[in-house]
Amino acid sequence: MSPEREAASAHARTPDEASATPPWKALWVLAAGLAIIVLDGTIVSVAMPTIIDSIGIRLTDAQWVTSLYNIVLAALLLPLGKLGDEKGRKTLFLVGIVVFMAGSGLAALSGAAAPLLASRTIQAIGAAMIMPSTLSIVSASFRGRNRATAFGVWGAVMSGAAALGPLLGGVFTDTIGWRWIFLVNIPIGVAIIALGIKFVPHTGGSAAANGRGPFSFLDLPGTLLASLGAALFIFGLIEGNTYGWWGQKASFSAAGLAWPTDWALSVTPVALLAGAALLVAFVFVERARAHRGKSVTLDLRLFSIPSFSWGNLTAGAVSAGEFALIFVLPLYLINAVGLSTIEAGLVLMAMALGAMISGALARKLAARLGAGGVVQLGLALEITGIVASIALMRPNLSPLWFAATLIIYGTGLGMASAQLTSLVLGRVPVAQSGEGSATQSTVRQLGSALGAAISGTALSVALSKIVPTALAAVPGLPSTVASGLVSSLSSSAGGSIGPIAAQGSAGPLGALGPRVVEVMSQGFSQAAQWSMGIAGAMLLLGLVGSVMVKRNAG
């Protein structure tokens, strides 16, 4: 039976999973659970300087506080999505909230690097339980226009929460302290559990329903290959700028193991190659197990559904574009424009507001344009917002003008994310909604890591090309000083501009100080424009994918 016919059959066989009265209260509980884990992926970044000073951790450990969360989350999405399908999605969701709360509490109490990293790992395990469960419960519980609306809310929360993270992180850190970026999850989690027990419907549990053994669904080879492959590949994408994409830029060590410092080759290409090899092996192993009638972590036949395969490509591109912006824009707004962390967060909130409002309204547009048309319109608006941002980027730019461009981008992001989720999962059988949801979530995580990695590399390369030439044109500036300024600008991602600006003419550069700051700010703005252009190119790829989604979704 074809996957399309299986999907139709599954929907017909399981009317009990889609209640006659749509569980709207459950939707908002699920959205709250999704929001806290998405926020936690970005809320920590702006608090890191304060955390470093507070508990005295090293810079390399600080980088892992953010990276480890995303790596572990991506590694576990597929196997835990499958677990929800087999053992019950509501149960997995509630357990995930408990685990996430435990990790949050331990993170808030951490006084050193090791317990903080361990707690972030626990948070990520909980998040990997929550994320696919939310989407698969929505997929199993709503139908027709209600389903499109529910997916719209899910997509709007997914896209908007990530942009709110830096703002909330800055507010908490500057007011009640950095530990509250973790502690706030505990009362919210308690409320989610109480409301979830009451309102979230039971879906999944196919192993019990079919009378199979309690562990008959386990696919140990597939789980290990998928988890390790995803972890290594995303590690390479996230840490390439830190350790070097080919040659070593910094020493690497983890769990007592150190990468040989006398090797010319960085750990990054090895991790990427090993991760890709494990993922390829995962595909072959899953095909072989399915052919023998054994359980699999991911039913690869889902990719024979054109809207699912093309939709995942588009979802990855949308996430790549979003996180390319989230990576570059705070650096530009704080270091080149001179905004505070909270001011930069308020500007970014324009993107989040646009995403949430348009995501909730996307259903009405879908009635006129169709879901595929809304996705294409959303991507077109995203590209328009990026082009407008690039055209306006300069050090003396008014933040209000930039916020206006982000509203355009955010509006498109909300439209695309909201309806794209519906298209990707629309033909996936209900019984496999956890697999389908986890696959889309994994692709989004890969896209997020890829977007941040590529935009960061583009920013670094552009700085190395633009700023040396500009500083060489400053009269009276020694070449050795200019070289040091370029190095500090690149290594600090623009952070060196602020201290020089604060010194004015009284610093080591003397009367040249203000002119050097002007040149460095302009150079950083131009480099950020190139990086933003990369984000636009990713969205163009997504637009191509959305055309194919629309063509195959009918």
Side-chain angles (χ1 to χ4, degrees):
M1 183 182 294
S2 69
E4 290 87 344
R5 290 181 63 189
E6 284 188 13
S9 176
H11 287 302
R13 288 193 306 267
T14 56
D16 55 305
E17 288 199 318
S19 59
T21 302
W24 295 112
K25 292 179 180 179
L27 174 64
W28 296 112
V29 175
L30 296 170
L34 176 67
I36 61 172
I37 65 171
V38 174
L39 280 169
D40 224 67
T42 57
I43 198 173
V44 176
S45 57
V46 296
M48 281 316 305
T50 304
I51 295 175
I52 291 172
D53 293 337
S54 175
I55 62 177
I57 63 176
R58 297 178 302 170
L59 180 60
T60 52
D61 292 326
Q63 292 168 335
W64 274 99
V65 171
T66 299
S67 300
L68 189 63
Y69 180 85
N70 292 316
I71 291 169
V72 175
L73 173 59
L76 296 179
L77 282 170
L78 273 176
L80 291 177
K82 178 71 172 181
L83 180 63
D85 282 345
E86 299 290 342
K87 295 301 181 182
R89 299 161 190 141
K90 177 178 179 176
T91 300
L92 189 68
F93 172 74
L94 295 175
V95 171
I97 295 291
V98 172
V99 173
F100 187 80
M101 289 168 54
S104 298
L106 292 173
L109 296 173
S110 297
L116 182 57
L117 291 173
S119 63
R120 288 291 280 173
T121 302
I122 296 171
Q123 279 188 302
I125 294 171
M129 296 178 181
I130 296 167
M131 185 176 286
S133 299
T134 60
L135 187 53
S136 55
I137 292 172
V138 170
S139 178
S141 303
F142 291 85
R143 290 291 176 270
R145 292 184 177 180
N146 291 326
R147 196 181 200 215
T149 302
F151 278 138
V153 171
W154 191 93
V157 170
M158 182 77 177
S159 55
L164 280 175
L167 171 61
L168 295 179
V171 170
F172 287 153
T173 302
D174 291 348
T175 54
I176 56 179
W178 67 266
R179 296 184 188 275
W180 277 95
I181 66 177
F182 301 115
L183 285 175
V184 73
N185 294 325
I186 296 177
I188 295 175
V190 170
I192 291 172
I193 291 173
L195 295 172
I197 292 173
K198 182 175 182 180
F199 295 119
V200 174
H202 287 280
T203 66
S206 60
N210 293 332
R212 292 182 278 134
F215 302 106
S216 61
F217 69 95
L218 285 178
D219 169 19
L220 187 58
T223 296
L224 291 175
L225 289 171
S227 300
L228 290 175
L232 286 170
F233 197 78
I234 288 187
F235 163 78
L237 292 176
I238 291 175
E239 301 297 343
N241 287 325
T242 300
Y243 299 109
W245 290 105
W246 189 255
Q248 286 202 61
K249 288 174 57 179
S251 59
F252 167 76
S253 62
L257 301 176
W259 190 257
T261 55
D262 57 343
W263 286 11
L265 187 66
S266 164
V267 67
T268 303
V270 176
L272 288 171
L273 182 61
L278 289 174
L279 291 175
V280 170
F282 168 73
V283 172
F284 282 102
V285 167
E286 296 300 274
R287 284 180 174 174
R289 288 180 64 87
H291 182 71
R292 296 196 300 269
K294 293 187 175 182
S295 60
V296 294
T297 300
L298 175 64
D299 185 352
L300 296 173
R301 292 177 299 172
L302 291 176
F303 287 97
S304 65
I305 304 174
S307 58
F308 181 79
S309 54
W310 284 107
N312 273 299
L313 171 65
T314 306
V318 170
S319 290
E322 179 183 7
F323 276 79
L325 261 69
I326 290 176
F327 177 84
V328 173
L329 290 186
L331 299 175
Y332 161 74
L333 292 170
I334 294 171
N335 297 328
V337 180
L339 301 184
S340 68
T341 300
I342 294 180
E343 289 171 336
L346 287 171
V347 173
L348 290 174
M349 191 172 69
M351 177 171 69
L353 290 175
M356 291 180 177
I357 294 171
S358 66
L361 297 176
R363 171 187 169 183
K364 294 182 179 179
L365 280 174
R368 293 187 177 184
L369 304 176
V374 173
V375 171
Q376 291 179 18
L377 175 60
L379 281 162
L381 286 173
E382 287 187 68
I383 294 170
T384 300
I386 285 182
V387 171
S389 299
I390 292 173
L392 291 174
M393 287 179 88
R394 55 184 181 272
N396 59 350
L397 172 73
S398 168
L400 294 178
W401 282 107
F402 205 80
T405 68
L406 291 182
I407 289 176
I408 297 172
Y409 172 84
T411 300
L413 177 64
M415 289 181 182
S417 295
Q419 295 302 308
L420 184 58
T421 302
S422 178
L423 289 175
V424 171
L425 298 179
R427 291 175 177 248
V428 172
V430 170
Q432 294 177 287
S433 58
E435 289 179 70
S437 302
T439 302
Q440 185 190 192
S441 298
T442 302
V443 169
R444 285 178 181 267
Q445 285 293 113
L446 286 168
S448 301
L450 184 63
I454 293 179
S455 63
T457 300
L459 181 67
S460 179
V461 171
L463 284 173
S464 68
K465 301 295 183 182
I466 294 170
V467 179
T469 302
L471 286 176
V474 176
L477 185 67
S479 59
T480 54
V481 175
S483 177
L485 290 170
V486 172
S487 177
S488 65
L489 181 68
S490 180
S491 63
S492 66
S496 62
I497 298 175
I500 299 175
Q503 294 170 348
S505 300
L509 296 174
L512 291 176
R515 175 58 181 160
V516 167
V517 168
E518 180 184 357
V519 170
M520 291 174 70
S521 297
Q522 290 175 346
F524 193 88
S525 296
Q526 293 174 19
Q529 287 176 314
W530 281 100
S531 189
M532 292 276 283
I534 296 295
M538 295 174 185
L539 292 174
L540 282 174
L541 175 62
L543 186 59
V544 172
S546 71
V547 172
M548 299 304 297
V549 171
K550 184 178 180 182
R551 182 177 298 175
N552 290 283

